[in-house]
Amino acid sequence: MPYTPPTWPVSVKGVAVDSRRRVLLLKNEREESELPGGRLEQVEPTPELTVEREIEEETGWTVKARQLLDVWTYQPLPETLPGRRVVIVTYGCTVLTPDMKPVVSNEHQELGLFTSAEVPGLTMPDGYKQSIVTRYERM
């Protein structure tokens, strides 16, 4: 039997930090906090452009994706998405509209800005938390 490699969707996410050093997070339908971003598609020529567009669509912020922070595989709890895996790629982003208040789109339930000290207590995958720690370390 020939080998068939896995084909998992890829999601690109951005760690965007405002001028007060608070990270932008969104709440999803599973009541988890997550980084803004979305599925990598062939619309843009690079993952960086995808994350920049997604953050603007989801929050109104204009950002520039800078350094690659992390790549990891997210496997949701079986009761939420059985057998599903998603490759997550995170980028550190510079906010180009730092004085603009971000707004939540219809894709999420709410939006918040959190200090690095608040992040560990949030309900979110550990991979996102690690990407946020890495971003703060590189600031």
Side-chain angles (χ1 to χ4, degrees):
M1 182 172 187
Y3 171 72
T4 304
T7 56
W8 299 330
V10 177
S11 185
V12 289
K13 301 288 188 168
V15 182
V17 178
D18 73 359
S19 59
R20 294 175 51 196
R21 296 184 54 90
R22 299 173 300 171
V23 66
L24 175 68
L25 296 172
L26 303 167
K27 188 165 281 185
N28 63 29
E29 70 282 353
R30 295 181 305 280
E31 295 296 319
E32 295 176 331
S33 294
E34 67 179 3
L35 295 167
R39 180 177 278 203
L40 181 62
E41 297 180 13
Q42 294 182 349
V43 176
E44 285 92 7
T46 68
E48 294 88 349
L49 290 175
T50 298
V51 78
E52 291 169 7
R53 176 186 52 78
E54 286 283 343
I55 290 175
E56 188 163 11
E57 287 177 3
E58 292 176 352
T59 71
W61 270 3
T62 303
V63 302
K64 177 70 177 164
R66 301 288 183 190
Q67 72 272 35
L68 176 67
L69 298 175
D70 203 359
V71 178
W72 53 282
T73 303
Y74 174 61
Q75 189 166 2
L77 296 173
E79 59 270 14
T80 58
L81 294 168
R84 178 90 186 264
R85 293 183 184 164
V86 179
V87 175
I88 306 290
V89 180
T90 58
Y91 288 90
C93 296
T94 300
V95 179
L96 303 177
T97 52
D99 298 325
M100 181 185 165
K101 182 178 178 180
V103 293
V104 67
S105 73
N106 60 359
E107 294 181 45
H108 293 89
Q109 297 177 4
E110 60 186 78
L111 173 149
L113 293 163
F114 300 89
T115 66
S116 61
E118 294 172 309
V119 170
L122 298 173
T123 300
M124 66 191 305
D126 289 337
Y128 288 144
K129 290 179 181 181
Q130 183 56 53
S131 293
I132 293 166
V133 167
T134 301
R135 175 69 173 120
Y136 278 106
E137 288 173 350
R138 295 183 183 178
M139 289 178 73

